[in-house]
Amino acid sequence: MNASAANAHKRLPLRWVLVVPFVLQIAGAAGLIGYLSFRNGQKAVEELVTSLQADASERIDQHLDSYLTAATNVSSVNADAMDLNLLDPNDLERTSQFFWRQMQLHDIGYILFGSRTGEFAAAGYFFDDGTISVNEVSPQKNGNGDLYTYSTDEQGNRTELADVDPGYAFQEEAWYAETMAKPEAHWTEIYPWQTAPYPLSVAFSQPVYDETGELIGAIGIEQRLAQVSEYLRQLDISSSSTTFILERDGNLVASSTDEPPFQLVDGTAQRLSVLESSNAVISNISKAIQEKYATFAAIESDQQLRLDIGGDLQFVRIAPWQDTRGLDWLVVTIIPKERGQNNFQG
């Protein structure tokens, strides 16, 4: 040690020599504790978000099971009633009244019957006021193919003619056309009504035969997917969460947003792809999912993802949902990182 270094060492206060190492140790320990606390906090947030999304997916699955199973059950009951001559398909007024009474017992949107002779009877939510109307098309009785819609009393009896829709071609609708082309019980493709407000619907349909085994028509039980969207909006996950359901081809089925799952093009309702959604969360997350898996059809099991969308971390859960009759959808729940932290803190 040279003289200058020795002098500098002599001038260094003893308390520094004693205190500085302890300060450095304490600072290092505090930093390590802070880092571990941060990591533990992040892990807790992720665990909470995963739990919230798993719970939401389970509730959505249960709702879809219940809502769509109602349609298959009522369809089977009505087909059996006609097969056993307990319900006369030629008596349109009595048939539509029977359907009206079923509507009081089940959470379904519409019950329909169409025959090969052009006769049609139905009951359901034709208007937006929540009342159940009955409908009839009867070339034999009325001399035309117009759709007559009647208001009803508390027993389902017709009270007054509420609406006439000229030239209603029920034969072109999926629930009837698909069944007559291939007579078997099945879910139709999702389709929008051809009249305002163009509700997006899916129907469970099956053939009806007479006592000789001849195919005489089809029964359809229609479920409006707007009711699924309403359920998603009421689902209490968090104020910033987004939930949507899509088909394997990427078409939107329902969502927790206010965006309708269809677009009007030249006055005709057309299905909306999640990739073309005007909702930035839905479109951006869908594009990120497609980029990761190439196709939505490739997702075969539940997936828990962390996706960076424009610098914002999004917790995303994708859960396949199927029924035994052929429906095959994906349920996507999204919670932003900041919202997950707020949920953990509050």
Side-chain angles (χ1 to χ4, degrees):
M1 180 182 297
N2 58 35
S4 60
N7 292 335
H9 179 71
K10 291 178 180 179
R11 291 194 297 268
L12 188 65
L14 180 60
R15 60 183 178 181
W16 282 31
V17 176
L18 297 175
V19 171
V20 168
F22 290 102
V23 171
L24 293 176
Q25 290 180 6
I26 292 171
L32 180 60
I33 292 172
Y35 172 76
L36 293 175
S37 297
F38 173 78
R39 292 289 297 174
N40 289 336
Q42 290 295 103
K43 183 179 179 180
V45 168
E46 293 186 20
E47 289 177 349
L48 174 64
V49 169
T50 299
S51 176
L52 287 172
Q53 290 176 314
D55 178 67
S57 290
E58 183 178 355
R59 284 186 284 167
I60 293 170
D61 285 358
Q62 291 173 352
H63 179 75
L64 292 175
D65 289 342
S66 174
Y67 185 60
L68 295 169
T69 297
T72 62
N73 291 341
V74 173
S75 178
S76 297
V77 167
N78 289 347
D80 288 344
M82 288 189 176
D83 287 344
L84 296 171
N85 292 321
L86 300 176
L87 188 61
D88 184 359
N90 297 310
D91 189 342
L92 299 183
E93 184 166 349
R94 191 176 184 84
T95 297
S96 61
Q97 184 180 25
F98 179 76
F99 292 166
W100 182 94
R101 294 193 176 189
Q102 286 183 311
M103 291 287 299
Q104 316 301 312
L105 303 175
H106 303 280
D107 184 18
I108 50 183
Y110 237 99
I111 306 176
L112 316 107
F113 166 75
S115 74
R116 301 184 73 169
T117 60
E119 305 289 294
F120 171 86
Y125 297 103
F126 186 82
F127 300 108
D128 291 332
D129 59 3
T131 61
I132 298 172
S133 306
V134 297
N135 315 90
E136 174 185 285
V137 175
S138 179
Q140 297 179 16
K141 172 183 173 182
N142 302 316
N144 58 51
D146 297 348
L147 176 69
Y148 291 81
T149 300
Y150 296 89
S151 301
T152 61
D153 62 17
E154 294 181 353
Q155 299 300 318
N157 298 301
R158 303 177 183 187
T159 56
E160 62 180 2
L161 181 62
D163 185 80
V164 178
D165 187 7
Y168 174 61
F170 68 86
Q171 298 89 340
E172 297 177 5
E173 295 184 341
W175 65 270
Y176 182 87
E178 290 181 12
T179 305
M180 300 305 287
K182 188 177 181 180
E184 62 181 20
H186 70 289
W187 283 106
T188 67
E189 294 184 358
I190 294 175
Y191 58 92
W193 279 21
Q194 296 305 306
T195 57
Y198 310 101
L200 200 64
S201 303
V202 63
F204 187 78
S205 184
Q206 62 186 88
V208 176
Y209 300 90
D210 65 11
E211 61 275 6
T212 67
E214 181 181 355
L215 179 65
I216 62 172
I219 282 178
I221 310 298
E222 191 175 72
Q223 294 292 50
R224 296 189 186 184
L225 298 178
Q227 292 173 272
V228 178
S229 291
E230 183 62 28
Y231 176 79
L232 297 181
R233 282 190 284 270
Q234 295 175 357
L235 196 61
D236 185 20
I237 305 176
S238 80
S239 59
S240 293
S241 64
T242 302
T243 307
F244 65 96
I245 302 173
L246 69 152
E247 292 185 286
R248 294 295 184 149
D249 61 4
N251 281 333
L252 185 63
V253 174
S255 80
S256 60
T257 73
D258 293 329
E259 180 183 38
F262 61 86
Q263 295 174 314
L264 285 179
V265 179
D266 297 327
T268 301
Q270 296 185 2
R271 299 288 304 281
L272 176 67
S273 168
V274 291
L275 302 173
E276 299 173 351
S277 171
S278 61
N279 183 279
V281 174
I282 292 178
S283 60
N284 289 335
I285 292 294
S286 297
K287 290 173 184 175
I289 293 173
Q290 188 183 57
E291 182 177 347
K292 181 175 179 64
Y293 295 100
T295 67
F296 297 115
I299 302 173
E300 298 179 352
S301 60
D302 291 2
Q303 303 293 316
Q304 195 75 36
L305 308 176
R306 296 172 57 182
L307 298 178
D308 188 334
I309 306 296
D312 295 325
L313 183 63
Q314 308 282 341
F315 296 102
V316 179
R317 179 182 177 87
I318 312 168
W321 176 86
Q322 296 97 13
D323 82 334
T324 59
R325 301 283 191 160
L327 293 181
D328 186 8
W329 299 342
L330 294 174
V331 178
V332 181
T333 56
I334 307 158
I335 299 179
K337 176 183 177 182
E338 180 180 356
R339 174 52 55 184
Q341 291 173 328
N342 290 341
N343 279 338
F344 179 68
Q345 294 168 358

